[in-house]
Amino acid sequence: MRELEELLRSLDGDLVLIESRVYEDRIELHAKMGREEAVCPYCGARSKSVHTIYLKAFSDLPVQSKQLTIVLQRRVFFCKNSECEKSKFAERFSFVDDYGRRTKRLNERIIELAANMSALKAEGIVSNGLTEISDDTILRMLKKTGYK
């Protein structure tokens, strides 16, 4: 259990492990952020006022040949700045893109593997150990990073 907590903290030191579930082919880590407040990405104001909490799941690098899914409690805060263009905002995480389904380090690993082979071949390799992904997604990732 301690190793899984350290794994989470390698993504962000404020992550708190709530529960871990180990299955035959995958591991699920349920977590939340330990800090009480978040910064509005639109105006920079700090807020402790939570509107809602929802679950956000994303994939990370495998552990012991098992796919790793992190299920994170993502909070939506009220922005207390009356001049801000948004009244609510979701907390952001540095280790995953806003609408991402994979951690940045997993994306980097996929790009590293796919850079020197066809997308179909990369799909087979990545889907056989890292995470489920399509060749089209791999092509979009390579195009976004500037690989040709």
Side-chain angles (χ1 to χ4, degrees):
M1 186 79 146
R2 184 145 179 87
E3 294 84 13
L4 297 176
E5 289 175 347
E6 289 176 17
L7 176 72
L8 277 177
R9 288 205 178 88
S10 72
L11 290 170
D12 189 309
D14 290 330
L15 283 174
V16 177
L17 181 64
I18 298 170
E19 176 185 17
S20 62
R21 298 178 185 170
V22 180
Y23 301 97
E24 189 174 314
D25 60 340
R26 64 189 167 91
I27 298 172
E28 272 185 16
L29 300 181
H30 294 254
K32 66 178 182 177
M33 292 303 280
R35 58 182 171 253
E36 292 182 19
E37 64 181 15
V39 176
C40 176
Y42 306 103
C43 71
R46 296 187 174 278
S47 177
K48 290 184 178 181
S49 181
V50 177
H51 176 266
T52 54
I53 298 174
Y54 65 94
L55 299 179
K56 166 119 175 113
F58 48 90
S59 299
D60 193 17
L61 292 170
V63 174
Q64 297 178 348
S65 301
K66 296 182 181 193
Q67 290 185 1
L68 177 62
T69 301
I70 299 171
V71 181
L72 195 55
Q73 291 181 3
R74 188 173 195 183
R75 298 172 293 182
V76 177
F77 289 86
F78 287 107
C79 183
K80 297 297 186 179
N81 182 357
S82 59
E83 296 178 10
C84 184
E85 63 184 63
K86 304 286 185 178
S87 61
K88 297 178 284 219
F89 65 93
E91 67 185 324
R92 304 257 169 112
F93 308 113
S94 61
F95 52 89
V96 65
D97 292 327
D98 288 340
Y99 298 99
R101 296 181 184 179
R102 292 170 300 278
T103 60
K104 290 179 180 178
R105 65 185 179 190
L106 177 57
N107 283 341
E108 290 168 3
R109 182 71 178 124
I110 292 168
I111 290 167
E112 182 183 303
L113 287 170
N116 297 313
M117 62 182 74
S118 73
L120 284 172
K121 179 75 171 167
E123 175 192 10
I125 292 170
V126 171
S127 294
N128 194 22
L130 291 177
T131 188
E132 296 299 320
I133 193 168
S134 72
D135 59 328
D136 289 333
T137 300
I138 291 173
L139 287 172
R140 279 193 302 276
M141 291 171 69
L142 289 171
K143 184 176 180 181
K144 184 178 177 183
T145 57
Y147 280 95
K148 294 182 180 185

